[in-house]
Amino acid sequence: MNAFMLKRKKYDHVLLFAVLAIVIVGVVMITSIGVPKSIRLSAPDMAYPDCADAAVDCYLVLKNHLVRVGIGLVAMLVAWKLNYRFWKGMAFLIFLAALGLLVFVLFAGSDNNTFATSWINVTALPFIDSVQPSELAKFAMILYLSYFFAEKISIQKLQDWKEGFLKFALIAGAMIGPIVLQPDIGSAMVMVVIAVTIYFLAGANWKHLAIGAAVVGIAAIVAVQSMSHIQERIMSFLAPEPECIEEYCWQSRQANIAIGSGGFWGKGLTQGIQKSYWLPQASDDFIFAASAEELGFLRTSAIVLLYALIAYRGFKIAQHAPNKFAMLMAAGMTTWISAQAFINIMVNTALFPITGITLPFMSYGGSSMVMTLLAIGVILNISQFTSSDAYTSDWRRNRGTRGSQYGSRRRYTRTV
């Protein structure tokens, strides 16, 4: 085969456009709604802070966000240029590093005024207040599960309870267990979705999936009964207004007010009211609601469509990936970003209980920003190697041979 046929093809322009569009919208919205939080962070003890005061930095949040976006874009570019096979050799080491950080944060982490001990504070670094190991854990779990199912276990052994399901449960549980103990139920829930998706696409036994779903369901019931704050959040979501626990209903109510008051066209940039006095975490977990107040229904609908476009292009790349490892990686990372985005949007619109997870590419959160952009870089690299007949709609009937067959033929033709 000549050098021309082995040459990489162009990356997925549509995916890159959708991601960069959301990143830009996020920067604009952080500029517009981040001033109240900047004032609180820069002058927490000042009774009547004013932007004219030298001690008050009204753009602290924006400055931090721009640095984090910059780091994330560099990470994306590096991952984009690295051949996706690089991650195969690094999967186990990254998995161990993430597991070590998850254990460390249980004993020496910070809660940063939340219910979960999820952060390692690194105040010595400028513009970076803390690191959240659970974001690295999502990336690490995807890498290692993809490597495990593609390289370490045959399709025949995958159908076996002990060799297939129990080993999968052990790997996924090693990552998810410490996150539940923090407790960060939102991140744990996203990781369960990721793990099950990868397991299913690898060729899981349907009976094992059903048993696993039952076990997870029982564990969820136990968690709700044993963790009062989770029970209160769920009851606040389900209960009638008079019985609602104000601490949790407040957030959903104010998010609904923000979205509703924005109307069709929005109030305009900087004109939102909820961000200043009522809506908590307006630049973080509830940035979608704060943005809806200023942008309106039409523009926020465009944001939702951009996330849907990212999901579509990501799964399309996975479907036509050159081999099983690349397919599972692309699908896992697309699931991560899509699940987290739509759960966050559902929380902001009161369609799901409060979870405390960020909106990818938009929220003020360095760990999430850097790791999700890194994941996009990996997907973009895989998109350069897609083939028209690597993973088609009949992949589950041919899952044992299709990856190796087309990986060896190295057919890199433009299809997505």
Side-chain angles (χ1 to χ4, degrees):
M1 188 174 291
N2 59 42
F4 176 77
M5 295 185 68
L6 291 176
K7 188 178 180 179
R8 292 184 185 183
K9 62 185 184 59
K10 292 183 178 180
Y11 59 90
D12 193 306
H13 297 79
V14 177
L15 175 64
L16 181 61
F17 163 78
V19 171
L20 292 181
I22 296 176
V23 169
I24 292 170
V25 171
V27 170
V28 171
M29 296 316 303
I30 289 292
T31 305
S32 179
I33 66 181
V35 173
K37 182 165 185 171
S38 295
I39 294 174
R40 290 194 298 270
L41 291 176
S42 61
D45 301 322
M46 189 174 293
Y48 301 101
D50 189 283
C51 289
D53 196 309
V56 179
D57 187 350
C58 285
Y59 296 100
L60 176 63
V61 167
L62 175 62
K63 293 174 184 176
N64 291 346
H65 187 69
L66 287 174
V67 171
R68 296 165 182 181
V69 168
I71 296 172
L73 290 175
V74 171
M76 182 183 76
L77 182 61
V78 171
W80 182 1
K81 298 304 178 182
L82 281 174
N83 189 292
Y84 69 88
R85 296 179 185 84
F86 167 82
W87 301 106
K88 188 182 296 184
M90 297 296 295
F92 185 63
L93 292 177
I94 295 175
F95 183 87
L96 288 181
L99 182 58
L101 289 174
L102 288 177
V103 173
F104 175 83
V105 82
L106 288 177
F107 297 97
S110 301
D111 57 18
N112 290 348
N113 299 317
T114 68
F115 284 104
T117 305
S118 302
W119 291 270
I120 300 174
N121 289 338
V122 287
T123 52
L125 296 177
F127 304 105
I128 300 175
D129 301 321
S130 59
V131 174
Q132 192 171 7
S134 60
E135 297 300 322
L136 175 62
K138 295 169 187 174
F139 185 79
M141 186 182 70
I142 292 169
L143 291 186
Y144 193 70
L145 282 177
S146 300
Y147 168 70
F148 175 75
F149 286 128
E151 303 293 333
K152 305 297 287 185
I153 186 171
S154 66
I155 191 63
Q156 290 76 22
K157 286 187 176 181
L158 183 58
Q159 304 306 304
D160 181 75
W161 171 260
K162 182 178 179 181
E163 292 294 321
F165 179 80
L166 289 184
K167 287 186 177 180
F168 156 72
L170 181 63
I171 295 169
M175 289 282 103
I176 299 171
I179 294 176
V180 172
L181 294 176
Q182 290 178 5
D184 182 359
I185 303 303
S187 291
M189 181 169 54
V190 171
M191 292 187 72
V192 168
V193 174
I194 296 168
V196 171
T197 299
I198 294 176
Y199 181 48
F200 169 75
L201 293 177
N205 185 301
W206 287 100
K207 293 180 181 179
H208 299 168
L209 274 174
I211 295 172
V215 171
V216 170
I218 294 171
I221 295 173
V222 172
V224 170
Q225 294 297 323
S226 60
M227 298 181 183
S228 59
H229 75 280
I230 299 176
Q231 187 174 18
E232 289 166 356
R233 289 186 180 190
I234 293 177
M235 292 306 298
S236 297
F237 172 72
L238 298 175
E241 288 286 320
E243 302 175 19
C244 189
I245 299 173
E246 188 64 25
E247 182 179 356
Y248 300 109
C249 282
W250 173 264
Q251 300 179 70
S252 296
R253 285 171 178 165
Q254 298 308 315
N256 282 340
I257 292 171
I259 294 172
S261 62
F264 193 78
W265 295 108
K267 294 180 177 179
L269 294 176
T270 74
Q271 301 304 306
I273 298 174
Q274 296 297 110
K275 65 187 180 187
S276 299
Y277 304 105
W278 293 283
L279 184 61
Q281 305 297 329
S283 56
D284 305 320
D285 301 346
F286 285 90
I287 192 171
F288 183 84
S291 299
E293 183 180 12
E294 300 190 354
L295 297 179
F297 173 80
L298 184 63
R299 297 182 182 92
T300 49
S301 295
I303 295 173
V304 175
L305 290 176
L306 284 172
Y307 281 112
L309 183 59
I310 290 172
Y312 173 75
R313 298 307 299 180
F315 285 120
K316 197 72 174 177
I317 291 168
Q319 182 183 20
H320 297 286
N323 53 56
K324 192 173 185 178
F325 174 68
M327 182 271 287
L328 294 176
M329 265 207 310
M333 292 178 183
T334 302
T335 300
W336 165 19
I337 293 167
S338 304
Q340 186 158 321
F342 286 105
I343 289 173
N344 177 278
I345 292 170
M346 289 172 67
V347 168
N348 275 247
T349 52
L351 297 174
F352 201 82
I354 303 296
T355 59
I357 57 176
T358 57
L359 185 61
F361 314 126
M362 278 191 67
S363 290
Y364 178 71
S367 299
S368 175
M369 180 66 71
V370 172
M371 295 310 301
T372 50
L373 284 174
L374 177 66
I376 289 296
V378 175
I379 299 172
L380 285 172
N381 182 266
I382 294 172
S383 75
Q384 295 176 281
F385 297 94
T386 50
S387 171
S388 60
D389 43 12
Y391 280 87
T392 55
S393 59
D394 64 343
W395 63 267
R396 279 194 64 91
R397 292 196 298 270
N398 303 285
R399 59 184 180 261
T401 60
R402 187 170 289 275
S404 59
Q405 173 187 353
Y406 291 107
S408 62
R409 288 167 63 183
R410 299 175 66 87
R411 296 177 61 183
Y412 303 137
T413 57
R414 179 67 174 170
T415 61
V416 295

